[in-house]
């Protein structure tokens, strides 16, 4: 999934004032650009405090865009997502009542009043950006627009879960601490590529924090999926293929049970790389399926193995189904700071290689 953060601030960094009415910071032309950005995403997320303060509907306004989405077989409005710890949300909010959209509420408490109007996702442990991205990806969402407020934006940036940031500053609007509400100051991290433009009087900065690597990823991932077809099907394990790619470009490929009846594909590929004297820190591993997080026949899961060797990227095509255990590989890797990319467009080949478990 690609994650974009988008927000507007006053010249002194406020997202809102402290009055009861919603403060419009964007100019009309900038607001149009934000609506176009929404249209380019699968889902939109705002924090519960933004719902309580502003009561936004979070809809796509352009009928043509809505029609295009319908033609693609998805609901006309973006999936709407929010996050709450307290559970303090009402089903009467426009988030729930307006538009034709899937709705997801990440909550640490059960919220029975919302069960008819949204899917309430209660994650075990605390709610993290890594967990949100993982759960939404499992539900078919491939791009997420995060519009705020301050605490939500800070959580995504602190966890390294933002790929792009769009900040629009209104240079003619200043609030000061007396009138200012939530404040958010974005400093591009080292290595970010930023461009600046003027949009209808707003100063817009767009930064790429993590470049789109899908073209290269799909090539290696296709090799991993093909390797998965070499494995001999068994009733107790998935047929998986894996490719380790070193920073110097060398690759090592393995598949399930290739040299041992208890080895997973990732272990086989990693073993070959280590035998060749490779240092795996900063390397990438491509696996046809999500790395496992729980093993009974081996002391270490593939997730632990990947973390122990210091891989920086993990790419896979299919989330592990809940057939044997509930896999937490992707979330655990992301929470440990590993970049995880998932390409469901290649999942068909993985399902075929595992037809024996259907
Ligand atoms: N200018 C803009 O572009 C823009 C965009 C969006 C919002 N805003 C403004 O931003 C202000 C709100 O910002 P804010 O920072 O106060 O609030 P927020 O980020 O919208 O929401 C914070 C709330 O989200 C929930 N939350 C956040 N992290 C969580 C976690 N890890 N686990 C569980 N729940 C979590 C909590 O909800 P509970 O309290 O329910 O537990 C928390 O109080 C509003 O005034 C709004 O107008 C401006
Ligand atoms: Zn494994």
């Amino acid at each position: 999934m690609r994650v974009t953060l988008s927000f507007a601030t006053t010249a002194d960094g406020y997202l809102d004032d402290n009055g009861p009415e919603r403060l419009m910071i964007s100019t009309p032309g900038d607001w149009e650009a934000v609506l176009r950005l929404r249209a380019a995403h699968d889902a939109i997320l705002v924090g519960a405090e933004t719902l309580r303060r502003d009561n936004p509907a979070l809809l796509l306004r352009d009928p043509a865009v809505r029609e295009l989405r319908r033609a693609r077989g998805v609901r006309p409005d973006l999936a709407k997502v929010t996050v709450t710890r307290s559970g303090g949300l009402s089903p009467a909010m426009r988030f729930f009542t307006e538009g034709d959209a899937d709705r997801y509420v990440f909550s640490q408490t059960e919220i029975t009043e919302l069960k008819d109007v949204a899917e309430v996702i209660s994650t075990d442990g605390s709610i993290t950006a890594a967990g949100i991205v993982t759960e939404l990806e499992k539900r078919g969402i491939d791009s997420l627009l995060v519009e705020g407020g301050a605490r939500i934006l800070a959580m995504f940036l602190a966890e390294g879960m933002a790929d792009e940031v769009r900040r629009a500053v209104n240079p003619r609007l200043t609030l000061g601490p007396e009138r200012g509400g939530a404040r958010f100051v974005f400093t591009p991290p080292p290595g970010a590529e930023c461009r600046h433009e003027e949009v209808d009087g707003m100063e817009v900065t767009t930064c790429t924090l993590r470049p789109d690597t899908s073209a290269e990823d799909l090539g290696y991932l296709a090799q991993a999926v093909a390797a998965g077809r070499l494995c001999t099907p068994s009733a107790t394990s998935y047929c998986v293929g894996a490719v380790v790619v070193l920073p110097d470009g060398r690759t090592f490929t393995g598949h399930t049970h290739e040299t041992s009846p208890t080895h997973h594909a990732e272990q086989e590929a990693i073993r070959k790389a280590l035998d060749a004297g490779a240092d795996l820190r900063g390397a990438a591993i491509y696996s046809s399926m999500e790395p496992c997080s729980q093993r009974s026949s081996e002391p270490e899961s593939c997730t632990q193995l990947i973390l122990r060797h210091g891989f920086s990227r993990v790419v896979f095509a299919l989330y592990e189904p809940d057939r044997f255990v509930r896999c937490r590989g992707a979330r655990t890797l992301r929470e440990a700071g590993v970049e995880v990319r998932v390409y469901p467009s290649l999942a068909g080949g993985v399902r075929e290689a595992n037809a024996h478990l259907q």
Side-chain angles (χ1 to χ4, degrees):
M1 175 193 293
R2 299 278 301 168
V3 177
T4 306
L5 311 188
S6 167
F7 55 95
T9 76
T10 62
D12 49 351
Y14 289 101
L15 292 170
D16 195 9
D17 62 11
N18 54 17
E21 298 297 318
R22 179 177 183 177
L23 175 71
M24 197 60 188
I25 296 173
S26 290
T27 55
D30 181 56
W31 184 239
E32 287 300 319
V34 170
L35 289 176
R36 285 196 295 276
L37 190 63
R38 282 186 185 178
H41 288 80
D42 293 338
I44 183 167
L45 182 153
V46 299
E49 184 62 17
T50 296
L51 295 189
R52 288 190 290 263
R53 287 189 65 86
D54 299 346
N55 196 18
L58 305 176
L59 302 180
L60 295 174
R61 301 284 173 193
D62 185 345
V65 173
R66 292 166 57 88
E67 205 40 60
L68 268 176
R69 288 178 54 86
R70 253 197 212 100
R72 271 175 46 213
V74 292
R75 296 177 78 171
D77 286 298
L78 304 186
K80 304 190 207 180
V81 187
T82 192
V83 188
T84 176
R85 205 171 273 120
S86 67
L89 294 172
S90 154
M93 287 172 160
R94 295 170 72 210
F95 178 94
F96 298 108
T97 58
E98 290 193 19
D100 183 355
D102 291 324
R103 296 175 179 82
Y104 302 103
V105 177
F106 286 85
S107 173
Q108 284 185 334
T109 46
E110 263 309 309
I111 321 178
T112 44
E113 316 86 80
L114 297 183
K115 71 176 187 348
D116 294 334
V117 290
E119 181 184 350
V120 180
I121 304 171
S122 32
T123 57
D124 34 350
S126 59
I127 297 171
T128 60
I132 293 170
V133 165
T134 303
E135 289 302 320
L136 292 177
E137 228 167 32
K138 288 182 182 181
R139 287 159 177 80
I141 288 166
D142 205 32
S143 54
L144 174 67
L145 185 66
V146 179
E147 287 199 356
R151 279 172 281 176
I152 293 293
L153 295 169
M155 174 170 76
F156 274 79
L157 281 173
E159 288 186 43
M161 291 304 297
D163 298 310
E164 309 271 340
V165 177
R166 181 190 195 274
R167 177 190 60 193
V169 177
N170 188 330
R172 285 173 307 283
L173 193 56
T174 305
L175 290 171
E178 293 285 294
R179 290 172 53 214
R183 190 158 183 271
F184 187 71
V185 175
F186 168 64
T187 313
E193 280 191 19
C194 299
R195 59 189 166 82
H196 307 278
E197 63 190 321
E198 197 232 287
V199 179
D200 190 17
M202 300 286 284
E203 292 166 359
V204 176
T205 303
T206 308
C207 298
T208 300
L209 311 192
R210 297 195 300 191
D212 185 347
T213 52
S214 49
E216 184 183 330
D217 285 348
L218 285 167
Y220 287 123
L221 190 55
Q223 290 178 33
V225 173
R229 294 182 187 273
L230 302 174
C231 116
T232 309
S234 108
T236 52
S237 58
Y238 294 108
C239 274
V240 178
V243 180
V244 167
V245 181
L246 301 184
D248 67 11
R250 279 183 294 162
T251 63
F252 302 89
T253 304
H255 61 264
T256 309
H257 301 173
E258 185 175 349
T259 66
S260 150
T262 63
H263 279 183
H264 283 181
E266 295 92 326
Q267 285 173 284
E268 297 281 6
I270 289 172
R271 169 59 39 215
K272 288 180 195 174
L274 293 175
D275 287 349
D279 176 359
L280 297 174
R281 276 172 299 172
I285 186 160
Y286 294 76
S287 180
S288 58
M289 198 181 279
E290 180 183 14
C292 66
S293 58
Q294 225 175 302
R295 296 280 326 250
S296 45
S297 52
E298 290 268 319
E300 195 175 40
S301 69
C302 292
T303 294
Q304 289 167 323
L305 185 68
I306 288 165
L307 290 176
R308 179 161 64 79
H309 285 294
F311 280 86
S312 62
R313 301 188 75 234
V314 172
V315 181
F316 65 88
L318 182 68
Y319 273 97
E320 182 179 325
D322 286 340
R323 182 184 179 95
F324 299 122
V325 290
R326 186 147 175 270
C327 182
R328 292 173 50 94
R331 178 177 174 173
T332 306
L333 289 162
R334 283 181 167 133
E335 287 179 348
V338 176
E339 181 183 354
V340 176
R341 297 284 171 194
V342 185
Y343 295 97
S345 60
L346 295 188
V350 192
R351 288 198 191 89
E352 277 168 30
N354 290 282
H356 59 289
L357 293 174
Q358 304 296 305

